[in-house]
Amino acid sequence: MSFGKNSTEPYVQVGNSGLFVYRVGLGTMQFGWSADEAAANAVMNTYVEHGGNFIDTADCYSSWSNALGGPENPGGVSEEMIGRWLATQNRYDIVLATKVRAAMGMQFCDSRATFKQREGLSRRWIIKSCEDSLRRLNTDYIDLYQAHFIDPLIPIEETLSAFTDLVRQGKVRYMGCSNFSAWRLMQALWTSDKNNLESFISLQPEYNLLSPTRGDFETELAQVCENYGLGVIPYSPLAGGVLTGKYRRGKELPQSVRAEENAERRFSEQNWNIIETLVSVAERNAMTPAQAAINWLRAKPVVTAPIIGANSPEQLISVLNGLDKKLSAADVDELDQASDFHRPRTSLET
Ligand SMILES: NC(=O)c1ccc[n+]([C@@H]2O[C@H](COP(=O)([O-])OP(=O)(O)OC[C@H]3O[C@@H](n4cnc5c(N)ncnc54)[C@H](OP(=O)(O)O)[C@@H]3O)[C@@H](O)[C@H]2O)c1
């Protein structure tokens, strides 16, 4: 059976669940890294003023800040900023998503064994992390609690049973996962079903025109999500800013704490060709490249709501201003073809 995306524009239903979110989510990995608290508040205020209700964070954001050009940050800072801002809002109007799994910092650990107690998807760590996130977020429930990525050491039954307890205690409304492969996701859905546990309602994959995992997503994960009614909320829709048009072949890097990492991960001859196609499709449609990149994703029926990141209200507004514009099927096809080398080809592809 196949389930379509139910839309009540500008809000969309997350898969087959009862959760409705704005057509783009607001990512907050930037908060405490490339955006200070004043900028974070301005970005969140701008987002809700434009009708946004869906805010995505993670316990660990952004523990890597110091290593990547930002201030010292042990993790938890993004959640704390959101928590203080949330006190100024009507809590029920906001759909708040966070995540558990990543390490909160080696500085607390004296051994590898201690480190393993402070990360992962064990019952012990999930329950502690959830309590910590609730405290930092200044709320008594999380709308969408996500397994950030798989923990191969922990049986999936243990992870799902801990998530289920949190749902049944009312601390979590819905549970989702991120960065799972198709077989891991199927295993989780089957395990929930078999053991009468709560199920994941959403997947948060990296999915954008430059994503090296685009092929895995389109040929495998998208089929699982469509067939089992999961919402898809892709992260890094602008490939960390590379799809905004400010990164161009042969030009100097733009001012950004992410510029060097972007150059390392994303600069290649093939990606420059994709960017050139994106720029020309965008110009033809009176869109910015960022608007075209987001609208390419939104044209995919399996996509529920991309999660965008912004350091300022201006960046956010320029993306939001493009949401009512649409790419034609021919434009979507041209962009698909331009980045088609990312897709693995199998003779059994269906
Ligand atoms: N589940 C996971 O494993 C995972 C992983 C990564 C992210 N995420 C989530 O997804 C969210 C979005 O990811 P992302 O930050 O990588 O998203 P993105 O949308 O691909 O990139 C956002 C970056 O692009 C630049 N930008 C945004 N709008 C712009 C504009 N209009 N003009 C020029 N530059 C612009 C900004 O960086 P500069 O100003 O620095 O150029 C901004 O930080 C995160 O905040 C987080 O919530 C999840």
Side-chain angles (χ1 to χ4, degrees):
M1 191 170 17
S2 170
F3 298 96
K5 175 176 70 172
N6 296 328
S7 169
T8 52
E9 279 274 25
Y11 298 92
V12 280
Q13 192 166 4
V14 181
N16 278 346
S17 78
L19 196 61
F20 287 80
V21 296
Y22 188 61
R23 55 192 167 170
V24 290
L26 179 67
T28 61
M29 186 171 84
Q30 286 70 10
F31 298 179
W33 174 28
S34 47
D36 64 16
E37 189 150 7
N41 287 335
V43 166
M44 288 187 283
N45 287 335
T46 303
Y47 176 68
V48 296
E49 279 158 23
H50 283 74
N53 73 344
F54 181 31
I55 296 188
D56 177 75
T57 185
D59 54 357
C60 62
Y61 291 171
S62 293
S63 52
W64 56 84
S65 168
N66 192 231
L68 287 181
E72 198 76 46
N73 175 343
V77 172
S78 171
E79 286 188 334
E80 285 168 355
M81 288 183 181
I82 294 168
R84 287 188 284 272
W85 173 83
L86 204 56
T88 67
Q89 305 294 306
N90 180 342
R91 170 69 187 88
Y92 191 70
D93 290 343
I94 304 295
V95 175
L96 191 53
T98 190
K99 312 185 193 83
V100 53
R101 162 67 177 97
M104 292 296 282
M106 253 331 241
Q107 65 267 39
F108 304 114
C109 308
D110 51 15
S111 70
R112 175 73 206 162
T114 319
F115 180 65
K116 192 55 209 161
Q117 305 293 342
R118 292 186 172 275
E119 55 130 37
L121 292 175
S122 66
R123 163 173 283 275
R124 194 162 177 265
W125 182 245
I126 289 169
I127 290 171
K128 171 173 168 44
S129 291
C130 182
E131 299 293 352
D132 288 349
S133 287
L134 288 168
R135 194 186 60 253
R136 287 189 292 259
L137 288 165
N138 190 26
T139 183
D140 51 11
Y141 69 97
I142 293 162
D143 294 285
L144 181 63
Y145 200 41
Q146 301 159 102
H148 206 152
F149 47 100
I150 196 77
D151 184 344
L153 293 183
I154 307 295
I156 191 72
E157 287 84 350
E158 175 171 336
T159 298
L160 292 167
S161 111
F163 269 83
T164 297
D165 286 349
L166 293 170
V167 172
R168 294 182 183 167
Q169 288 163 9
K171 293 176 180 166
V172 164
R173 297 292 186 256
Y174 297 94
M175 50 200 250
C177 63
S178 179
N179 300 305
F180 274 38
S181 65
W183 83 262
R184 292 281 193 187
L185 180 54
M186 275 309 308
Q187 183 194 39
L189 296 177
W190 173 74
T191 302
S192 287
D193 198 27
K194 181 169 156 246
N195 296 296
N196 198 24
L197 299 170
E198 299 292 328
S199 268
F200 292 137
I201 64 146
S202 60
L203 171 72
Q204 186 175 143
E206 178 177 345
Y207 184 37
N208 60 55
L209 278 166
L210 305 187
S211 162
T213 53
R214 182 189 151 202
D216 298 335
F217 175 76
E218 289 183 352
T219 54
E220 295 285 341
L221 278 159
Q223 321 280 339
V224 177
C225 293
E226 270 174 1
N227 280 284
Y228 291 89
L230 272 79
V232 175
I233 49 176
Y235 71 78
S236 299
L238 300 178
V242 179
L243 294 171
T244 58
K246 64 187 178 186
Y247 291 79
R248 296 301 296 271
R249 195 198 299 259
K251 292 259 175 72
E252 265 187 36
L253 289 179
Q255 283 293 324
S256 164
V257 293
R258 302 173 78 166
E260 282 182 19
E261 192 209 359
N262 278 336
E264 221 166 89
R265 275 188 65 196
R266 294 176 164 125
F267 286 9
S268 69
E269 190 54 27
Q270 288 152 323
N271 283 354
W272 290 128
N273 291 338
I274 297 172
I275 289 167
E276 277 157 21
T277 306
L278 176 70
V279 169
S280 99
V281 168
E283 278 170 5
R284 199 192 305 146
N285 285 280
M287 295 180 194
T288 65
Q291 292 172 347
I294 304 272
N295 286 332
W296 171 79
L297 269 179
R298 293 180 62 239
K300 305 280 172 187
V302 73
V303 169
T304 308
I307 299 177
I308 58 176
N311 286 310
S312 65
E314 293 72 27
Q315 283 189 346
L316 179 64
I317 288 169
S318 87
V319 169
L320 297 179
N321 280 346
L323 296 179
D324 287 331
K325 304 176 188 173
K326 284 211 163 43
L327 292 174
S328 68
D331 293 326
V332 172
D333 194 48
E334 187 176 339
L335 289 167
D336 279 344
Q337 298 299 329
S339 74
D340 200 39
F341 70 91
H342 284 311
R343 308 184 74 226
R345 278 158 229 280
T346 87
S347 56
L348 299 176
E349 205 177 289
T350 53

